[in-house]
Amino acid sequence: MFRTIMPARGRPGRPAATAAALAAGLTLLVVTPSVAVARPTLSPGATPVVTRAALDPALVAGRGANVGFVEQEAENARTTGEIIGPDRSAYTLPAEASGRRAVRLTPGEYVEFVLPSAANGITVRYSIPDAPQGGGITAPLQVAANGKHLRTMTLTSQHSWLYNQYPFTNDPQAGLLHPDWWITECQCVPAATTPYPNITTPFRPTHFYDEQRLLLGRTYRAGDRIRLTAPPGSAAAWTVIDLLDSELVAPPRVRLLAANVLAFGADPTGRRDSADALDKAIAFARRTHLKVYIPPGTYQVNRHVIVDDVTIEGAGNWHTIIKGREVALPTPAPDGSVHTGVGFYGRDAADGGSRNVHLSGFAIEGDVRERIDTDQVNAIGGAMSDSTIDGLYLHHTKVGVWFDGPMRNVRVTNNIIVDQIADALNFHTGVTDSLVAHNFVRNTGDDGLAMWSEKTANARNTFDHNTVQSPTLANGIAIYGGTDTTVSHNLVADPVREGSGIHAGSRFGAEPFTGHLRITNNTTARAGTYELNWNIGLGAIWIFALDRSIDADIQVTGDAYLDSTYNAIMLVSDWPVKDLYSITNVQFRDIRVDGTGTSVVSARAAGSASFANVDARNVGAVGVNNCGSFHFTPAGSEFTLTDLGGNDGGWLAPWLLPNTITCDDRPPVSPPPPPAQW
């Protein structure tokens, strides 16, 4: 979701601590990451600790995507390095790490994982420094199994390290991109401030992590040891390892009766461009009613491949890789793009769109290193009705899947979408009757999964059983308007700034919420982030009336909000429109809140909500922080809470009802203990 950050919103308050956090350890790009604890003693590490989103899997059973890999956090492994974190301050390496902790290695140090189950492939999530002038560096990482060297991976920071204000820059020394915008660091508009404030560079570094996959060459058993070593002489002054995913990768899938792209001149070595060969194979397959098959290999493709009424299968996303560089266009395209790049696109909706497209079993590796919102450099794009996107690995594009409707009946399932400059997936404009399920998302530069009803409403769509981890900006799951939407059984963890776990927003010119919005049986962990523009904390779930009132039938049922940095639930309207728009009749039922830095509910709007069987513990401040629309009338807050019974934990005390003013604009944060079984 692209966004424009505007001047000050909300109420003035305490100066932010972000400038201090910035100066703590990232200023020179090659210094020690901030927030490190003392070097741990070398533990045996004999028993592997398996997690999901850095949590005990029992806490999130039945929620999130079914995936083929097993997650192990580096901080739980045997290491000679040092653990960094925990920290949730934006612009720090621990804040963007899964679980807010990672392991820092200097040359010669290692981290060693014990495999919990058989595996022949690993994914390493890591960070290394940027080049002093930006653009990234490369550095080696040695991989050994049971003490025997296997391979040396070449890590890169060329797709990491963004800086400054939206839409960001790759230049760490750049001055403010928008000196006429209000910034938290000085609580001012720099261009309107005399003397001009001192802005430390690099300003707001972010998007530090990348990940890389490696086939080990054979299958290793449970109990075998995988050691990652930053070798002596590395070009990287430090290497941060966040986690290791291990997987038993299936053999390549073979499709004999198909239009094999090799027969049309495709090059599986990646030396020659294969885009034209793919076009020929697709045209032949359509004439002969065959599928297109892309066998194992790496295929260079540097433009969009247009797909319509065709099935394209790879040998599996570890084996078939479609890889391309970003290419500058000689003149801007009609849609405003100044680049093109690798991607499979349906026809434009204005031209009727595409239908009956089925893509499965391959990876798309892009080379997008900067954010240009007009660029169509997404892995999957256009409009595709009656279509399926299944089992893909999407990496280093701007957005993994961006659909511009109107279109209907698309199924996006079982994909891995990681290291994106912007969203992982966005249903944009009139996408209807569609499903996004069992997708795994990590390290997006904007919303993980989004529905954006710009100009034409989305309708009857479902996000179900997805996992979204570590969006560095904005939300894990965001719904911007639309009709009859369901968000169910998802797991969202570790959003970093200006967003939260689950968000329903009347904003970005979206059509209104109508019909129902069902938010059901989801879990968030370590959500409820810092909102840069308002200088306040958000909720793990937050509902925001910016462009119009929200009065649809919104039911939030069965969710669990674990270890929320600030609030669990937030309902808010923007300061300039707080007397125009309200949020009414939101229903919360059967909710578990385990740990908040501040309140269970923060109300900063006019309106109402009801609560039934909402249980809370480890609440850091008053249960309800009720500011209403900040008029502080003798009759109480403009926001009314209704107690429908069964609300345990003492958070919804009788004296708070129905609309007692308890407004602390920026309450102090009391970090909760780690979540546990209820």
Side-chain angles (χ1 to χ4, degrees), residues 177-546:
L177 297 182
H178 305 284
D180 56 332
W181 288 2
W182 182 90
I183 63 172
T184 306
E185 286 77 2
C186 66
Q187 297 282 298
C188 71
V189 177
T193 302
T194 304
Y196 193 88
N198 179 39
I199 305 299
T200 304
T201 58
F203 185 60
R204 298 180 181 170
T206 185
H207 210 251
F208 306 123
Y209 288 87
D210 203 344
E211 58 187 65
Q212 194 171 133
R213 305 196 296 179
L214 176 68
L215 287 170
L216 300 176
R218 52 158 285 196
T219 298
Y220 289 87
R221 298 173 300 179
D224 286 342
R225 294 170 288 112
I226 301 297
R227 178 177 292 190
L228 308 177
T229 302
S234 171
W238 47 263
T239 300
V240 169
I241 304 297
D242 181 25
L243 55 79
L244 182 87
D245 292 332
S246 57
E247 180 173 354
L248 189 60
V249 179
R253 181 175 56 196
V254 176
R255 176 72 67 180
L256 296 178
L257 183 61
N260 189 314
V261 298
L262 299 183
F264 299 88
D267 178 10
T269 71
R271 288 191 290 267
R272 291 183 291 105
D273 193 293
S274 294
D276 290 348
L278 286 175
D279 288 344
K280 293 174 184 176
I282 290 168
F284 179 82
R286 292 188 62 184
R287 291 195 304 270
T288 56
H289 306 289
L290 292 173
K291 297 177 180 180
V292 173
Y293 175 64
I294 311 177
T298 297
Y299 301 83
Q300 182 187 158
V301 174
N302 301 310
R303 62 166 171 83
H304 299 168
V305 175
I306 304 303
V307 289
D308 185 16
D309 191 23
V310 67
T311 296
I312 303 176
E313 293 181 352
N317 65 48
W318 282 81
H319 304 294
T320 298
I321 301 168
I322 315 296
K323 186 172 184 177
R325 64 183 184 275
E326 190 176 76
V327 178
L329 298 172
T331 58
D335 61 12
S337 294
V338 295
H339 296 91
T340 188
V342 59
F344 288 77
Y345 273 64
R347 295 189 301 147
D348 192 272
D351 298 323
S354 294
R355 65 170 300 277
N356 194 33
V357 175
H358 305 283
L359 307 176
S360 66
F362 55 88
I364 299 177
E365 286 272 0
D367 189 27
V368 177
R369 307 184 187 192
E370 59 185 341
R371 178 160 178 167
I372 301 174
D373 281 326
T374 55
D375 271 357
Q376 284 282 354
V377 286
N378 309 315
I380 307 293
M384 300 180 192
S385 294
D386 303 316
S387 298
T388 59
I389 313 296
D390 184 73
L392 304 187
Y393 177 85
L394 309 179
H395 196 217
H396 289 160
T397 55
K398 187 181 81 173
V399 176
V401 181
W402 182 288
F403 283 129
D404 289 305
M407 53 177 277
R408 65 174 301 278
N409 188 30
V410 65
R411 300 290 187 265
V412 183
T413 54
N414 304 306
N415 303 287
I416 298 174
I417 310 175
V418 291
D419 299 330
Q420 301 293 310
I421 287 289
D423 305 11
L425 175 144
N426 197 308
F427 280 176
H428 177 228
T429 304
V431 179
T432 62
D433 302 296
S434 295
L435 171 70
V436 176
H438 290 289
N439 300 281
F440 180 87
V441 173
R442 186 161 57 203
N443 193 38
T444 57
D446 214 307
D447 294 327
L449 304 176
M451 301 186 201
W452 181 20
S453 293
E454 187 182 34
K455 298 179 182 177
T456 304
N458 298 321
R460 301 175 300 281
N461 298 317
T462 297
F463 287 168
D464 180 70
H465 278 100
N466 302 285
T467 297
V468 181
Q469 290 182 237
S470 301
T472 62
L473 176 72
N475 310 279
I477 295 176
I479 310 299
Y480 303 110
T483 299
D484 294 345
T485 301
T486 299
V487 177
S488 57
H489 300 96
N490 301 285
L491 170 59
V492 181
D494 295 313
V496 176
R497 72 177 228 225
E498 295 170 72
S500 203
I502 300 172
H503 174 50
S506 172
R507 54 193 305 205
F508 302 123
E511 293 298 298
F513 287 99
T514 58
H516 64 255
L517 172 59
R518 300 284 186 264
I519 300 174
T520 305
N521 294 330
N522 305 281
T523 294
T524 70
R526 299 173 298 273
T529 68
Y530 171 71
E531 217 298 334
L532 180 69
N533 301 287
W534 291 331
N535 192 21
I536 61 172
L538 298 175
I541 180 172
W542 68 300
I543 300 173
F544 180 27
L546 174 62

